[in-house]
Amino acid sequence: MKTETTSKELSLEFFKELYERAKNAFSETAEEFERHLEQYRGSKAIDGSTEEALTVRNVTYEIIESQVSSEIPMPKVDPAAYSDARGRNAHTVEMLCASVRDKLPFEEMNDIDERNTYIFGGGVWLVEWDNSIKTHNTVGDVKITIWSPSHFVGQPKIYDIDDMEYCFIHFETTKEDLMRKYDVTLDVAEETESEDNDSDETATVVVCYYKDDNDKICQYIWSGDTELQDIEDFYSRKKYICKNCGKRKELCNCDNPDYEMQDDEYEELDHDIVLTDGSVIHANSPVMKDGQVVTETAKQQAFLEDGSAAMDEVNGILIPQTIDVQVPKMEPTRLPYYTPTKFPIVIRKNTSQEDCLLGQSDCEFIRPEQQEINKIMSRISDKLMKAGVYPTAPEDYAGQFDNGLYENVIKVGQDNYKLFGRIDLQVNIQQDIEMAERHYDHAKRILGITDSYQGQADNTATSGKAKQIQVQQAAGRLDSKRRMKNAAYTEIDEIIFQYFLAYADEPRVNSFKDSQGRLQNATFNRYDFIERDENGEYYYNFSYLFDTDQTGDVEKSRETIWSENRLNFQNGCYGNPQELETLLIFWQQMEKHHYPDARDMVERIRGIIEAQRQAMQQQIAQQKAENDKLRTQKIMAEDKAAGAEGYIDYLKNFQGGNR
């Protein structure tokens, strides 16, 4: 996208105009978002009427809440072309993404995203790299924010985020946060403006992500008429070079330095890099040209055939003889920095529809039913409020009724009624209730929600197995929504991987549980992904296939998995049920699927097995000691017997010699 601007003022005007055009094109969608949100909250508005409903049965809220899932898809990564090293790297990336889920409040973000998706038709995730997140050993980490789609404005008529040339995120924040995040002065922060309110403490920030002529991601940020940040090639590494001496900021010694920010494309190694598998990227590498190693002439010690060093005598002094040899020409190893390629925004769709950036809103499809239910419930309320039993009294009766329930008294003539009586004006609302329930059932059928899926009484299922099948069928109709959720998490994982590949200079250690339930470490080292092509060029191999683990959803079927584990244990699928090792495997499986107190059972059985192992070792040691003792005694006895026999032979020989 060409900005066609040369100054900050022109840049600001350009982006503000671009934002206003996109926002105007988005206005109808924004109105729909507001209407859907009000419907979810139980709005009394009746379409096409200025009068509101008297009461609301909020079936929209009920149906949407029944679909909310606490499942957080787990990452699954495979190399595009397999090798042992790439397989290890894929496993490391899986553990990295799982660790990010554990560190960040994904449970809370997922809860918000679930409702955003069903209400608006989609959710917006912003995935950023934040260098301000520091620990004792690391600098930078991933920061993820969940936004309502009302905070996102995309390029008009473009329905895929990757195909857009630009898009916007707008949000409200404090002016103190502007100073910390964008490194602006207090005077600049005070110049910012807020669109939503008149508060002097907050400001509306608009962030534009756009692509330049080279398809590089750029960022422009402003608030009101104040520019906050303008970064071209936003993802590239940056370095500050002094215009006076041409040195980096870290090496500059100028009295009045004038720094200019430039992209940093390569890092030149000053020491060997040891990879996770023990291999090394050396600080100096052979020079390659056209796929061949470039050589140069060097002097080398000459040796004779017997292996001794060849020497020359010069003026009576022996000097080592050298010869010219061709050796590889070496140069400092230069490793390129990886640059991410995707927008930092991920769109989760509800269910896809043609020519739409987001998906289909559940509120939109059940709105007619919600409207009819509101009208019927208002009619029922109106009937009940006007109906009742009214007392009758003579026309000339001037007394008062002590019972406060009878506010309206009907005066009648004595010719037709008794002196005092009553008139029953109660109405029949049974048909209204049946009609409201019919619309409610229609709304559920539209979205594929059954009574069994909601956990309500369902007389059509006469057995536990039949009820389970009903729930599975309902989940099958909702499978499209689950797949869209998995697709969004897949994109999030891919962006996380790209960020760590680009900016995580220090190895990141992440823990995981192996098949034995033991905690292990998986170290993510971005240098592990560096390979060298035939021309000797180093490059990052980022060709990995991202997916979600389909076996990771245990939230809704834990009881079923527990039952299957028990059945497998009883049938001997884990081994002999009478053996402790088999029992340990069973409880490790139960621990994996969060069975209560399973971890305590695992530790207890491990303790018993360890105690038995130590007792066995002691028994073996005692038996070995006894065997050694018996062997020693036997040897001593044999030696003693051999000594006695030798002495007898000696006496015999001695006596024979005397004779």
Side-chain angles (χ1 to χ4, degrees):
M1 183 185 73
K2 292 185 177 180
T3 60
E4 299 179 354
T5 56
T6 57
S7 66
K8 289 187 177 181
E9 291 77 10
L10 292 177
S11 295
L12 179 60
E13 292 302 321
F14 172 83
F15 283 104
K16 287 181 66 176
E17 182 180 353
L18 192 68
Y19 174 62
E20 289 300 325
R21 289 204 306 264
K23 193 175 180 180
N24 291 335
F26 186 72
S27 60
E28 292 185 6
T29 303
E31 293 175 0
E32 291 179 1
F33 287 164
E34 186 65 26
R35 187 165 60 249
H36 296 334
L37 183 59
E38 291 300 322
Q39 177 183 337
Y40 171 78
R41 291 174 174 174
S43 172
K44 294 183 178 181
I46 299 295
D47 294 344
S49 174
T50 57
E51 295 185 4
E52 292 185 341
L54 297 178
T55 185
V56 173
R57 180 187 176 185
N58 197 346
V59 299
T60 300
Y61 177 86
E62 179 182 339
I63 293 175
I64 287 179
E65 290 299 310
S66 67
Q67 299 179 74
V68 172
S69 171
S70 59
E71 171 207 351
I72 298 178
M74 297 307 296
K76 181 177 180 295
V77 184
D78 293 306
Y82 183 80
S83 68
D84 290 341
R86 293 170 183 170
R88 289 192 299 270
N89 288 344
H91 176 71
T92 302
V93 175
E94 283 185 5
M95 297 305 103
L96 173 69
C97 296
S99 176
V100 171
R101 284 165 170 67
D102 291 338
K103 289 188 295 185
L104 297 178
F106 258 81
E107 290 80 7
E108 179 181 347
M109 291 190 292
N110 173 75
D111 200 56
I112 298 173
D113 180 55
E114 285 282 296
R115 290 167 176 81
N116 284 348
T117 301
Y118 300 138
I119 295 171
F120 304 115
V124 178
W125 294 75
L126 179 62
V127 187
E128 302 172 285
W129 180 265
D130 190 350
N131 262 330
S132 66
I133 303 176
K134 299 179 181 179
T135 67
H136 182 71
N137 299 317
T138 62
V139 176
D141 209 335
V142 168
K143 177 183 177 182
I144 300 179
T145 311
I146 180 71
W147 292 105
S148 164
S150 58
H151 289 272
F152 174 80
V153 179
Q155 184 178 3
K157 305 300 182 180
I158 304 298
Y159 306 111
D160 190 325
I161 188 71
D162 292 330
D163 294 336
M164 290 183 178
E165 292 295 322
Y166 60 87
C167 59
F168 302 90
I169 290 283
H170 58 93
F171 57 91
E172 201 79 9
T173 188
T174 64
K175 296 186 177 181
E176 289 77 7
D177 184 63
L178 295 181
M179 296 169 60
R180 289 190 298 266
K181 188 172 183 179
Y182 302 111
D183 194 23
V184 297
T185 63
L186 178 61
D187 294 338
V188 174
E190 290 295 337
E191 294 176 358
T192 59
E193 301 175 3
S194 176
E195 296 178 357
D196 298 333
N197 53 61
D198 298 329
S199 174
D200 294 333
E201 298 180 356
T202 62
T204 301
V205 178
V206 184
V207 182
C208 177
Y209 296 99
Y210 66 95
K211 298 177 182 177
D212 63 10
D213 295 339
N214 297 319
D215 207 31
K216 301 291 186 180
I217 306 296
C218 306
Q219 184 189 67
Y220 189 86
I221 306 174
W222 76 94
S223 175
D225 294 327
T226 305
E227 178 183 292
L228 297 175
Q229 208 166 64
D230 183 8
I231 303 178
E232 297 182 359
D233 197 0
F234 171 65
Y235 284 139
S236 66
R237 294 264 189 155
K238 306 298 181 182
K239 62 181 178 181
Y240 289 91
I241 302 297
C242 179
K243 293 182 179 179
N244 299 329
C245 64
K247 295 182 180 180
R248 295 176 66 108
K249 181 178 181 180
E250 298 81 2
L251 303 176
C252 175
N253 295 319
C254 297
D255 295 333
N256 297 309
D258 183 9
Y259 297 120
E260 179 184 21
M261 186 174 66
Q262 298 179 1
D263 294 339
D264 199 3
E265 299 180 357
Y266 293 90
E267 62 174 321
E268 192 171 289
L269 298 186
D270 56 5
H271 63 280
D272 294 345
I273 301 294
V274 180
L275 305 183
T276 304
D277 61 1
S279 58
V280 178
I281 300 178
H282 295 283
N284 293 289
S285 302
V287 178
M288 302 286 291
K289 184 178 181 180
D290 299 330
Q292 301 294 326
V293 176
V294 177
T295 61
E296 61 182 358
T297 302
K299 299 291 185 179
Q300 191 177 51
Q301 172 69 56
F303 293 92
L304 301 177
E305 294 181 357
D306 59 0
S308 60
M311 307 294 287
D312 286 335
E313 184 176 351
V314 178
N315 298 327
I317 301 175
L318 294 178
I319 299 176
Q321 182 180 348
T322 60
I323 58 174
D324 292 337
V325 295
Q326 295 296 315
V327 297
K329 185 178 181 181
M330 306 297 288
E331 65 178 356
T333 302
R334 300 179 70 199
L335 301 179
Y337 287 118
Y338 176 76
T339 303
T341 57
K342 299 175 68 69
F343 275 121
I345 297 172
V346 175
I347 302 293
R348 175 192 169 184
K349 296 183 178 181
N350 187 21
T351 51
S352 300
Q353 62 178 340
E354 188 177 5
D355 294 340
C356 184
L357 176 64
L358 300 175
Q360 299 171 332
S361 166
D362 287 353
C363 292
E364 178 182 358
F365 283 95
I366 64 175
R367 186 176 184 83
E369 311 302 326
Q370 178 70 72
Q371 289 280 303
E372 291 301 316
I373 291 174
N374 290 352
K375 294 176 184 177
I376 295 172
M377 296 303 295
S378 298
R379 181 182 177 185
I380 292 174
S381 178
D382 190 41
K383 285 182 178 181
L384 292 176
M385 294 297 294
K386 293 180 179 179
V389 178
Y390 295 87
T392 62
E395 292 178 339
D396 56 352
Y397 179 72
Q400 298 292 329
F401 286 84
D402 294 335
N403 192 339
L405 294 175
Y406 301 117
E407 297 180 358
N408 297 323
V409 180
I410 300 176
K411 300 295 184 70
V412 297
Q414 295 184 13
D415 296 338
N416 298 323
Y417 292 91
K418 299 179 181 179
L419 291 178
F420 295 96
R422 66 180 183 179
I423 298 177
D424 190 349
L425 297 180
Q426 294 190 33
V427 294
N428 183 6
I429 60 173
Q430 186 61 36
Q431 290 183 342
D432 298 300
I433 293 176
E434 292 178 355
M435 194 62 177
E437 288 298 320
R438 184 179 179 185
H439 283 292
Y440 174 53
D441 291 338
H442 285 176
K444 292 200 300 182
R445 290 193 183 100
I446 288 172
L447 300 181
I449 306 297
T450 65
D451 291 337
S452 294
Y453 189 85
Q454 291 179 304
Q456 300 179 7
D458 189 350
N459 297 328
T460 61
T462 57
S463 67
K465 186 66 175 178
K467 192 173 292 292
Q468 181 180 351
I469 291 175
Q470 282 188 338
V471 174
Q472 291 174 349
Q473 287 176 338
R477 289 195 61 184
L478 301 175
D479 187 57
S480 174
K481 299 182 179 184
R482 297 288 176 255
R483 291 188 178 275
M484 291 295 99
K485 179 177 182 178
N486 292 342
Y489 272 80
T490 296
E491 289 189 51
I492 292 172
D493 289 337
E494 188 173 359
I495 295 177
I496 291 173
F497 168 60
Q498 290 189 3
Y499 281 163
F500 276 91
L501 203 61
Y503 308 121
D505 292 334
E506 308 85 10
R508 306 300 172 100
V509 180
N510 306 292
S511 61
F512 69 97
K513 285 187 177 181
D514 61 13
S515 59
Q516 302 297 323
R518 296 169 298 189
L519 280 174
Q520 304 285 351
N521 286 333
T523 302
F524 178 90
N525 186 347
R526 67 182 178 91
Y527 295 106
D528 289 337
F529 297 84
I530 291 181
E531 299 183 11
R532 202 175 192 188
D533 61 19
E534 296 179 352
N535 295 324
E537 294 292 334
Y538 288 100
Y539 69 98
Y540 280 93
N541 183 357
F542 57 93
S543 299
Y544 288 83
L545 307 177
F546 287 81
D547 200 352
T548 55
D549 188 357
Q550 302 300 322
T551 63
D553 181 12
V554 298
E555 296 296 332
K556 295 180 295 183
S557 57
R558 284 181 179 176
E559 291 81 2
T560 303
I561 295 178
W562 295 342
S563 299
E564 291 294 330
N565 285 343
R566 294 190 191 97
L567 184 62
N568 291 336
F569 172 71
Q570 294 169 0
N571 292 337
C573 296
Y574 302 140
N576 186 356
Q578 305 300 323
E579 296 180 357
L580 283 175
E581 287 78 5
T582 303
L583 192 61
L584 177 61
I585 295 174
F586 165 71
W587 281 109
Q588 285 174 340
Q589 288 296 110
M590 298 298 276
E591 180 190 4
K592 180 179 178 181
H593 298 294
H594 308 284
Y595 188 82
D597 299 327
R599 181 176 181 83
D600 294 338
M601 292 300 300
V602 169
E603 296 300 327
R604 187 175 303 171
I605 296 173
R606 278 179 176 168
I608 295 174
I609 293 176
E610 180 64 21
Q612 290 183 351
R613 185 184 66 82
Q614 292 179 0
M616 181 65 70
Q617 289 179 348
Q618 291 178 359
Q619 184 177 356
I620 292 174
Q622 291 176 359
Q623 186 66 37
K624 183 176 181 299
E626 291 179 1
N627 292 339
D628 292 342
K629 183 178 180 181
L630 292 175
R631 187 179 300 108
T632 302
Q633 292 175 351
K634 182 179 179 181
I635 293 173
M636 292 177 63
E638 290 176 352
D639 291 344
K640 184 176 182 181
E645 183 178 354
Y647 182 69
I648 294 172
D649 292 340
Y650 168 75
L651 291 177
K652 288 180 179 180
N653 294 332
F654 179 76
Q655 293 174 356
N658 290 336
R659 286 195 295 267

